Amino acid sequence: MFDTATTALLRAVLDEVWESVSHREIGARTHVASKILEAATRGDVSPEGLRQVGRDALSHAFTMWR
């Protein structure tokens, strides 16, 4: 479990990364969320680090299904 501040950070990063993703792109959204959670679980809770993980995951998600 994450503390309240970390949970808020994770939500903010997800919202930011997901801005450009359609709500119908469930697979991409799920992939991004899982990669961000994995990074946070490993201890990477810096805002910029999580944003980068999210952007990388999003880039990879769109190439996975095309």
Side-chain angles (χ1 to χ4, degrees):
M1 295 297 286
F2 297 109
D3 61 31
T4 304
T6 303
T7 302
L9 173 62
L10 292 172
R11 168 51 63 193
V13 169
L14 279 171
D15 288 345
E16 183 180 322
V17 173
W18 284 350
E19 279 181 343
S20 63
V21 180
S22 168
H23 290 283
R24 292 177 290 191
E25 296 284 348
I26 303 299
R29 286 175 166 261
T30 301
H31 180 71
V32 169
S34 70
K35 292 303 181 182
I36 289 173
L37 284 172
E38 286 175 16
T41 300
R42 288 190 309 268
D44 183 358
V45 292
S46 71
E48 190 51 43
L50 293 173
R51 281 187 201 100
Q52 187 60 50
V53 167
R55 287 190 294 262
D56 291 348
L58 184 59
S59 174
H60 183 30
F62 285 122
T63 61
M64 286 172 45
W65 290 288
R66 294 183 195 245

